[in-house]
Amino acid sequence: MNDRPPLPPFTAETAAQKVRAAENGWNSRNAEAVSLAYTEDTSWRNRDTFVTGRAEVVAFLTQKWERELDYRLIKELWAYTGNRIAVRFVYECRDADGQWYRSHGNENWEFDEHGLMRVRKASINDQRIEETDRLFHWDAPGPRPDDHPGLTDLGL
């Protein structure tokens, strides 16, 4: 088995690295690549959807990014201990009709000894916004540039 550093137990520095790696992965919108950050038998709750295993992760993310267009995500470390990390996040996207949304959420993550996420619990609320109210501006898909403000700096 290949390790996916940083590995638990996490420090403030390694937890923040893990969060940024997850953000960058999701911003790639490559469901296959993203799924490799999770255990083979990963267990998710995403809103009211329950996902088990990498194949379901790929299917879930593929469908998500087919309907959430121009998706851009920022994650921020909230807390960590041992093999667990709590994250807050916000993403912006639009639907096929052109309506923009800002979605606010919290995630609880648990990792195995190889640094793969085995549990992900996400609670998310959606807010309709006007295109002129968007705050996330970078070329996508792709990672958020290092000089783009994070959630705290944006007042989110």
Side-chain angles (χ1 to χ4, degrees), residues 79-134:
Y80 69 92
T81 184
N83 69 337
R84 292 181 173 172
I85 296 176
V87 173
R88 68 187 198 95
F89 66 90
V90 176
Y91 66 86
E92 293 180 346
C93 64
R94 64 175 177 83
D95 64 19
D97 294 327
Q99 175 61 58
W100 281 90
Y101 294 89
R102 183 173 298 132
S103 299
H104 304 259
N106 299 293
E107 293 175 313
N108 295 316
W109 300 343
E110 182 179 282
F111 295 85
D112 73 3
E113 66 276 11
H114 301 286
L116 296 172
M117 193 182 304
R118 67 175 153 221
V119 176
R120 175 182 173 267
K121 306 292 185 194
S123 298
I124 307 166
N125 298 307
D126 301 315
Q127 169 190 12
R128 286 176 171 250
I129 62 171
E130 297 299 321
E131 184 173 5
T132 55
D133 294 329
R134 292 180 51 224

Side-chain angles (χ1 to χ4, degrees), residues 54-73:
R54 283 187 184 159
E56 288 187 20
V57 166
V58 170
F60 173 86
L61 292 175
T62 298
Q63 291 171 356
K64 172 185 178 62
W65 293 324
E66 285 174 353
R67 72 176 180 276
E68 294 179 351
L69 307 174
D70 294 320
Y71 178 94
R72 288 170 179 80
L73 165 74

Side-chain angles (χ1 to χ4, degrees), residues 122-155:
S123 298
I124 307 166
N125 298 307
D126 301 315
Q127 169 190 12
R128 286 176 171 250
I129 62 171
E130 297 299 321
E131 184 173 5
T132 55
D133 294 329
R134 292 180 51 224
L135 298 174
F136 300 177
H137 301 282
W138 65 83
D139 292 336
R144 173 173 52 104
D146 289 338
D147 63 348
H148 190 285
L151 297 179
T152 300
D153 293 332
L154 289 168

